[in-house]
Amino acid sequence: MEIRNSVAFVTGANRGVGREYVNQLHALGASKIYAAARNTDTLKDVIARDPAKIIAVQLDITDADQIAAAARKASDVTLLINNAGSLTFGGALEVSQAGLNTDMAVNNDGLRNMTRAFADVIAANGGGAVVNMLSLLSFLSAPGFAGYNASKAAAWSMAMSLRAYLAPKGVAVINAFPAGIDTEMLAGVDGPKDSVQDVARDVLAAVEAGGEDVYPASASGVFDAWRQDQKAVEAAFAEMM
């Protein structure tokens, strides 16, 4: 689909990649952008870029009533970007149940419930696309992020089911699998990280190109290595204790 003149909705738009999505959607000519966050005060700088086109939406994607209200408010959306995410640190035997529940509620359930709320909206507006910000950890595993790994793997499976379900409605599903990104979420984690600019650019290019899966920035190299030797890449990630 074409970004120009589209109407986009971005979750987790107050920081990191979400904020950058808003910036790049605006630069590419989207006619309206709904920028969503749990606290709209954190969106002031985002909205200030163009208050006529960028609209703040209060949204906790684990809250069914807020999701329904957002879908009513943004009834002209043609592009949904499921970007909001949660990361709880901890290995498989150490991660707290509360942390695991939060990661699953945000990364998997939130993705499903947002898509369910907006699928018919997008279809009614002539079709469009849903972008799911997944992760290379959807199919690889960094031992210290056990809850995140599991929730992103579940989200990947859910997203593939949604793709088959939504295709007849004229709603494409684009799954993005980034590597580490230089955001507040990974501020305390050492290692190479891609810029939010490069990740958002590559994902939006895939939307316009009609792609289905995108491995933005450095993730493409990791994915190529994984396809050639899955066990070697798995072993390398297992050393990230």
Side-chain angles (χ1 to χ4, degrees), residues 122-145:
I122 296 171
N125 290 321
V130 175
V131 172
N132 298 313
M133 286 298 287
L134 301 176
S135 169
L136 286 176
L137 300 185
S138 299
F139 54 89
L140 289 167
S141 183
F145 304 156

Side-chain angles (χ1 to χ4, degrees), residues 6-237:
S6 66
V7 178
F9 192 107
V10 182
T11 65
N14 57 319
R15 62 182 186 174
V17 185
R19 178 183 288 256
E20 183 60 24
Y21 272 128
V22 174
N23 291 339
Q24 294 196 24
L25 287 164
H26 185 268
L28 290 168
S31 63
K32 187 186 296 183
I33 305 157
Y34 293 96
R38 287 178 295 177
N39 180 357
T40 55
D41 287 343
T42 63
L43 292 166
K44 289 180 179 178
D45 291 347
V46 178
I47 305 305
R49 176 170 184 150
D50 190 344
K53 288 188 176 182
I54 305 172
I55 300 167
V57 179
Q58 182 176 357
L59 177 63
D60 179 340
I61 65 168
T62 68
D63 187 312
D65 290 339
Q66 289 191 24
I67 290 175
R72 289 193 298 269
K73 179 174 183 175
S75 60
D76 50 352
V77 163
T78 58
L79 173 62
L80 169 65
I81 300 182
N82 284 317
N83 168 74
S86 169
L87 187 158
T88 300
F89 293 97
L93 301 182
E94 291 81 35
V95 64
S96 69
Q97 188 62 49
L100 180 59
N101 291 346
T102 297
D103 285 359
M104 195 65 71
V106 174
N107 299 336
N108 180 64
D109 301 345
L111 178 152
R112 182 193 67 238
N113 292 332
M114 283 296 297
T115 304
R116 178 165 55 187
F118 277 90
D120 287 340
V121 171
I122 296 171
N125 290 321
V130 175
V131 172
N132 298 313
M133 286 298 287
L134 301 176
S135 169
L136 286 176
L137 300 185
S138 299
F139 54 89
L140 289 167
S141 183
F145 304 156
Y148 184 82
N149 299 334
S151 64
K152 288 295 186 178
W156 179 26
S157 180
M158 182 62 66
M160 288 190 291
S161 296
L162 289 168
R163 177 181 286 156
Y165 185 80
L166 295 179
K169 296 176 179 283
V171 181
V173 173
I174 297 96
N175 292 330
F177 300 88
I181 310 174
D182 190 12
T183 64
E184 187 177 322
M185 181 180 284
L186 290 181
V189 178
D190 293 331
K193 300 173 189 175
D194 294 323
S195 72
V196 295
Q197 292 82 5
D198 287 350
V199 171
R201 178 202 63 212
D202 288 356
V203 173
L204 292 178
V207 172
E208 292 208 300
E212 287 194 340
D213 297 326
V214 54
Y215 302 87
S218 70
S220 60
V222 179
F223 178 64
D224 287 344
W226 181 78
R227 287 196 302 174
Q228 293 174 19
D229 191 339
Q230 295 183 18
K231 299 307 292 184
V233 176
E234 178 185 339
F237 271 68

